[in-house]
Amino acid sequence: TFQRQLQQSDCQNALMKKVFDTHMLFLQINQSAAALKHVFAALRLFVGKFPSAFFQGQADLCGSLCYEILKCCNHRSRSTQTEASALLYFFMRKNFEFNKQKSIVRSHLQLIKAVSQLIADAGIGGSRFQHSLAIINNFANGDKQMKNINFPAEVKDLTKRIRTVLMATAQMKEHEKDPEMLVDLQYSLANSYASTPELRRTWLESMAKIHARNGDLSEAAMCYIHIAALIAEYLKRKGKINIVKTNYVSINIVVE
């Protein structure tokens, strides 16, 4: 009935946000495994019908959905884990198809961000979550329609990176009382995302907080300067700023 209104502005509108939030509410409130099965089915239809809402424009809806699905991948019920893993695989495949079979950059980025957030919020990373990652890889390996393209490799790379974040976080927990070792681990993780500025910024901000907490203010300032440089480089590439060099300093002039 409201399809036309929901598709306005490439699905970036207030009505779409309300419908999406209603779907998310079913995942945020504890449900039975039987009820969740129907919620996952509804979400598959929703993503299939309105892919622009997730893979175009702002990434808010994509990030929120990734966060809630990943929480379900850590569910105590094996059937819910399987359903959540299937939905997540479907979501990545839709992202790949939406991008004309080129990449899953958006879902990759938002899933890694969601994992980093969930580590702090819900303590994911145990055997249940690892089981869900294995299910996703099995879906990718068994999908005959995607066999001769690079999609299975992208899925495998994503799950590998998620495991890397989980392992690094486990090491951080072991060295939480050794600030220098903790920051070194975070620096290594930030460098591993040199090609993904948004994730690199996330870990640099975390490093800055640790430095500030320990009274190492100059080190914290260097982290924030690095973040500012990442943002400036991104804006320059987007044509949002010009960088004018003088004899003494570089001045950023905002164009838009």
Side-chain angles (χ1 to χ4, degrees), residues 150-167:
N150 66 334
F151 178 67
E154 291 217 21
V155 173
K156 186 176 181 180
D157 177 62
L158 174 56
T159 55
K160 182 180 178 181
R161 284 183 176 270
I162 289 174
R163 287 192 174 98
T164 299
V165 172
L166 294 173
M167 287 173 61

Side-chain angles (χ1 to χ4, degrees), residues 113 116 172 182-213 216-233:
K113 284 184 68 178
S116 303
M172 289 176 199
L182 181 59
V183 168
D184 192 52
L185 288 167
Q186 290 202 331
Y187 180 71
S188 297
L189 194 57
N191 281 345
S192 71
Y193 283 99
S195 61
T196 315
E198 193 170 350
L199 289 175
R200 197 174 189 189
R201 173 188 171 182
T202 299
W203 290 106
L204 285 168
E205 285 177 339
S206 181
M207 286 170 60
K209 289 176 184 177
I210 293 170
H211 281 311
R213 192 165 60 238
D216 301 324
L217 300 184
S218 59
E219 286 84 353
M222 286 300 295
C223 290
Y224 286 121
I225 290 170
H226 201 118
I227 291 168
L230 286 173
I231 294 170
E233 184 179 6

Side-chain angles (χ1 to χ4, degrees), residues 58-191:
Q58 296 295 319
D60 298 352
L61 302 191
C62 181
S64 298
L65 182 59
C66 288
Y67 181 88
E68 295 300 337
I69 298 175
L70 283 173
K71 270 205 312 188
C72 293
C73 287
N74 203 45
H75 200 275
R76 61 181 177 275
S77 165
R78 276 296 173 97
S79 63
T80 298
Q81 287 176 37
T82 302
E83 289 283 347
S85 301
L87 175 58
L88 197 54
Y89 177 76
F90 174 80
F91 187 73
M92 289 187 285
R93 181 171 169 172
K94 278 293 174 186
N95 188 184
F96 189 73
E97 291 170 352
F98 187 83
N99 287 344
K100 298 179 181 178
Q101 299 192 345
K102 292 180 181 177
S103 70
I104 55 169
V105 171
R106 171 161 290 194
S107 53
H108 182 126
L109 174 61
Q110 295 304 320
L111 282 165
I112 295 294
K113 284 184 68 178
V115 167
S116 303
Q117 188 179 351
L118 277 166
I119 287 167
D121 296 349
I124 63 169
S127 59
R128 291 186 298 203
F129 193 75
Q130 295 289 350
H131 176 71
S132 294
L133 293 178
I135 291 173
I136 293 168
N137 274 328
N138 288 338
F139 279 130
N141 292 331
D143 194 337
K144 293 180 180 179
Q145 293 181 333
M146 297 288 179
K147 192 172 184 180
N148 297 320
I149 51 181
N150 66 334
F151 178 67
E154 291 217 21
V155 173
K156 186 176 181 180
D157 177 62
L158 174 56
T159 55
K160 182 180 178 181
R161 284 183 176 270
I162 289 174
R163 287 192 174 98
T164 299
V165 172
L166 294 173
M167 287 173 61
T169 306
Q171 287 180 312
M172 289 176 199
K173 199 166 185 179
E174 290 177 13
H175 296 93
E176 60 187 355
K177 294 183 180 179
D178 183 350
E180 290 184 0
M181 186 64 181
L182 181 59
V183 168
D184 192 52
L185 288 167
Q186 290 202 331
Y187 180 71
S188 297
L189 194 57
N191 281 345

